[in-house]
Amino acid sequence: MGLKLEDYTGSGTFAHGIHPPGHKNLSQDEPVRVMPTPDTVVLSLHQNIGGPCEPLVKPRQTVAWGEIIGKGTSFVSTTLHASVPGIVQRPVRMTLANGRHMDTLPIKTEGEIPSGRGLWDEIFGGNWPVTGLDAYEPARISLAINEGGLVGLGGAAFPTHVKIAPSDKKPIHTLIVNGCECEPYLTSDYRLMVEAPWPIITGALLAGRSVGAKRIVIGVEDNKAPAIAALKRAAEGTGIKVAVVKTKYPQGSEKHLIQAVIKRQVPLGGLPSDVGVAMSNVGTMAAVARAVIYKKPLTHRVISVTGGGIVNPSNVLAPIGVSFGALVDFCGGLTPDAARMIAGGPMMGFAFSNPGTPVTKGTSGLTVMTRDEVKAGEETACIRCGKCVDVCPMNLVPTKIAMASRHQDIALSRRYNIMACFECGSCAYTCPAHIPLVQLIRAGKARVAVADRS
Amino acid sequence: MNVDDEKNKSAGGLKSSNLVQAWLVLVLAVGFGVSLAGVQLMLGPVIEGNKLNETLEKVPELVLGNLLAAKMAGENQTLEIVPRQVTVEKPGRNKFYSVYEARYQGDLKGWVVKTKGQGYADTIELLLGLSPDLHTITGLFVLDQKETPGLGNKIITDAWRSQFVDAPADRSLVVIKTGASRPGEIDAVTGATISSKSVTAMINTTVGDLRKPLTTGPSSAGKGGKNNG
Amino acid sequence: MKPIDEILPTAPVIHVSPSPHLVQTASSTRRMMVDVLIALVPVVAMSLFVFRGYALFQLAVCLGGCLLAELVFVKMRGRPSTLKDGSAIVTGIILAMSLPGTAPWYVGTIAAFVAIGIGKIIFGGMGMNLFNPAMVGRAFVMISFAGALAASGFEDVRSAVDAISQATPMNAYKINGVVTPLTHLFWGTTNGSLGETSALACLLGGLYLVIRRTASWEIPAGLIAAVLVLGGVADLAGPADGWTVLHHILGGSLLFGAFFIATDPVTSPLTPTGKFIFGAGTGMLIMVLRLFSGYPEGVMFAVLFMNALTPLINRWSIPTPFGGK
Amino acid sequence: MADLPTATERFINGILPENPVYRQLLGLCPTLAVTNSLKAAITMAGAVGFVLLCANVITSLIRNLLKPHLRIVVFTLTIATFVTIADRFLAAYLYQMSKTLGPYIPLIIVNCIIICRCEVCASKQSPLVAATDAVGQSLGFGIALSSIAAIREILGTGALLGLRIMPASWPDWVIMVLPPGAFLTFGLLLGTVNWITARRGGKKTA
């Protein structure tokens, strides 16, 4: 199977990978619901990969919706805005879902913002031009993105202005918009593509112009036919292509989508720009369009609240900083057999236990799994069946790395390229001996990183 | 222990002197050398004798058979054994055989040939007794072998070796798996066909090689190599 | 307090753990063992059909021996019983299938104890062993009691079964130059070790394993390819005595070894490249042993030798990571 | 000096607590090579004992005259001499045994037990202590070799010292008299000795 797209040499897939059950039917046909503005939001000062931001507001200060409350401290860092209007409270140190302890700015809601359909229209509705975008200078686009506080909404939360900045050193020829939502359960990007394809297209055109890409392509997996149709319709006449790639985990990984679309391998430790590609998530593109054209910052995002442990699995448009507990309540609460709350999807997401944990810009979903689903098999001895080798999308030997890591053998784990692992979890999913491979490798990576520093 | 300490103190001077060290090593070396020479002088002949005896004491048995050899030993008679070396020219190389001529009161009673060849595990060394006219095999002894214990090394058993006694030497012996009945057929050792075949093949080759040098007499044997006897 | 799992689910109980949170529950080590057992069905059935009581007897001895050995040795180490994981059963059946039916009871018993004790437990139990346990056991008795095994087992003239009283095809060829017809080798109506006679049964079981991905296809593929190449060369170079490369493939324990012994995951390399090298190396050694050594068959020693090389092959075949040079 | 073991301690230590084979893992080359029959093992142990005794006594006698950096040279010289003497004697009076033992008698020169005893004991203590130490270590070596050889000979040939002791129906475990048998037997015995020691040690602390 090929892409059947002119100029794109990719085969639409990559080597290895797994096919976990999708469980997308729980929420894929649920139109995005708009959550009423919560009483408080808690905004972490560290919402992205890179440096945290510095608060610009004092406790008890009144802020408006979208007002800048934090400023990036470094290049790889971005602006933070109030996602609701209200009064800033004293900073609190909290544990985020990913386990990091961070200073947060709670804001007590006071004042009105559009609600329901009104809010949706405010953010995704309106007029999304596909022509006349030449008026926007590349440098201005990047600046507007930074001012909008945009980060990658797919989960990694890399500041978007860094990715989309025009660069002379590494010319970009292709912008790939990542519409692959390969994590099981999650459907937030899917719903956005179906319901609001126009801002995505506009945003992609703007981002493409900013990086100087000659080609723009949106990669979507073949299990999302309605999204493909919607995007194709919206993209008509713009030159943007939709690449239909194979449904497989982890197709949404940057490097693997590039391989699937243009058949280029991003070098180890390198970035997509090393092969002339810029990549961003579909949700980010919609936010780019809003930030550049309407000068509106990122304050809300679509979140999938799903899994067998949620009474009414849904896709929710919610302000950043809302607590996961409030999201759960909005979706009917937890079922009695709910056993694990995960920020993100079940393959790479972070489990947490405090319902007060706030949503950050990179939170693409909340998956609540049931007791039966998380029942882990008993760990037995590795019989070296090599199934983990067969599925590793990075072409590594996970069991060797994990064992080297278990025995704290840094040299051996380096020889097996431990740092190339991006913890997608394919190996641990497949392992018949139920060895916690990812956990071991993660510990090993930390150890190697420490050794590298000293 | 105190005594030791005092000794050390007094020896301190000796220990640090290079000259004393040199003399010590020299004296030791000479002492050891002399004692080794003594041992060699004393035991050398015995060892050489052992080596030769190992071969020679088998000769009567191999030429005359067990009974006759025992009888001769009982009557205190001995065979005259003349060792010689026979060289056989083969394409590309020469092959040497140690041959022992067994004579009794001047009459040629038979030959004993030392031969070696590749077995299953390692080289096998054989002593082969032949009648004077080289028509029959009169005996077989395995001098050295490293065949698999329990299988291949059964070639040293009397039972297996006795098959060769009185076997015809003027045609090739054949190994068969079980039930050798006709002359010239040899039963293989169970589970060790390779070892059995190796020994038989070595015998066939040796007899073939030596037929001409030995039957044409000692004088003509010199044609292929010099007579060392 | 009861453990969390035992509390009735009347209210959500949230606990955390690192990702991934999704596990493929359908696959487990036990399931893989069961797959091997299913794949062994045609082989066992064929051996029961050809050798009747002899096969039943050998199966009982080896299976009993292996289970008892596993029980005893694991207990000696003070570990919880590992009988349930099924690996001892697999070892037992493969061992029985690799022995001739006529081997006396003590051969099977000693082989079983050596297989489990020296082949597996001494290395630290399942997953740790360097050599294929069944082959360690077989090698031990093969060297110890060569007389009672392949070398002369078929000479048991008291045997009631016709097939037993003939030489194995490999021996018949090696010693007397007799070529067994291909059809006999294919269906398995010849003498030999219990499981090796029928090429058809081995192929059926092997295909099941490969399709289930319990055994990787690379090993049998590499092995058979190497035998084809070397056997083909021998065919062209050697005298036409009727023993062709096809006889090499269908005869002896080649297919049984290729599908059931060489594919033992614990003792074979991890990566596909490594597996292919392992298979090809085993195939080459088999042909070298068959053509040039004193033994008529070389599968066991070839597999054991390549087992010893497995850690090295693993080291040679570290795959280039995605995006690496 | 005062805390060096006495003659009695040296003697007892050599037999089990510091057994050269099982506890120190020294002299493994002959341990593996000549233990397929008890007779060969005893002869080997005897030869090692003779060399060890002579080397220890001579080393002890000259210990006060010797500079440390020369000691290995002198040890080797001494050992080589006595090994040659032992070898010649065997060839002269036990010709068949000498053929069986083959190169392993000359190889006693590099047997680490002897160098080790010269270094650890003889070069520090009096000839009397050195002599008892040599006897103790030789006994320990002999016990180790004999235990391995006895097991291998009985299992491998059904006999001990050439006398058949197993019933006629005993199937000889041929592998036991082959080199792999040496490794297996030695490994299992070593494991057993360690296991027993560990258990006894465990009880003591408990």
Side-chain angles (χ1 to χ4, degrees), chain D residues 16 23 29 45 75 80 86 144 146 156 182:
Chain D
L16 265 186
R23 306 300 302 159
C29 167
F75 294 167
S146 314

Coordinates of all heavy atoms in Angstrom, one line a residue, chain D residues 16 23 29 45 75 80 86 144 146 156 182:
Chain D
L16 N 40.6 -29.5 54.9 CA 39.3 -29.0 54.4 C 39.1 -27.5 54.4 O 38.7 -26.9 53.4 CB 38.2 -29.7 55.2 CG 37.6 -31.0 54.5 CD1 36.4 -31.5 55.3 CD2 37.2 -30.6 53.1
R23 N 38.3 -25.1 48.1 CA 38.1 -23.8 48.7 C 38.9 -22.7 48.0 O 38.6 -21.6 48.0 CB 38.5 -23.8 50.2 CG 37.8 -24.9 51.0 CD 36.3 -24.7 51.0 NE 35.9 -23.4 51.5 CZ 34.8 -22.8 51.3 NH1 33.9 -23.4 50.5 NH2 34.5 -21.6 51.8
C29 N 43.9 -27.8 36.7 CA 44.3 -28.5 35.4 C 44.4 -30.0 35.7 O 43.7 -30.8 35.1 CB 45.6 -27.9 34.9 SG 46.3 -28.8 33.6
A45 N 48.2 -37.1 43.0 CA 48.3 -36.5 44.3 C 49.6 -36.8 45.0 O 50.2 -35.9 45.6 CB 47.1 -36.9 45.1
F75 N 61.7 -20.3 43.5 CA 60.6 -21.3 43.7 C 60.5 -22.1 42.4 O 60.4 -23.4 42.5 CB 59.2 -20.6 43.8 CG 59.0 -19.8 45.1 CD1 58.0 -18.9 45.2 CD2 59.9 -19.9 46.2 CE1 57.8 -18.2 46.4 CE2 59.8 -19.2 47.3 CZ 58.7 -18.3 47.4
A80 N 60.8 -27.1 39.6 CA 61.1 -27.8 38.4 C 62.0 -29.0 38.6 O 61.8 -30.0 38.0 CB 61.7 -26.8 37.4
A86 N 60.4 -36.5 40.1 CA 59.2 -37.3 40.2 C 58.9 -37.9 38.9 O 58.5 -39.1 38.8 CB 58.1 -36.4 40.7
A144 N 40.5 -34.3 47.4 CA 39.7 -33.6 46.3 C 39.8 -34.5 45.0 O 38.7 -34.9 44.4 CB 40.2 -32.2 46.0
S146 N 40.7 -37.6 44.7 CA 40.1 -38.9 44.8 C 38.6 -38.9 44.8 O 37.9 -39.8 44.3 CB 40.6 -39.6 46.2 OG 41.9 -39.4 46.3
G156 N 31.4 -44.0 35.5 CA 31.8 -44.2 34.1 C 32.2 -45.6 33.7 O 32.0 -46.0 32.6
A182 N 34.4 -34.6 33.8 CA 35.3 -34.0 34.8 C 34.7 -32.6 35.2 O 34.5 -32.3 36.4 CB 36.7 -33.8 34.2

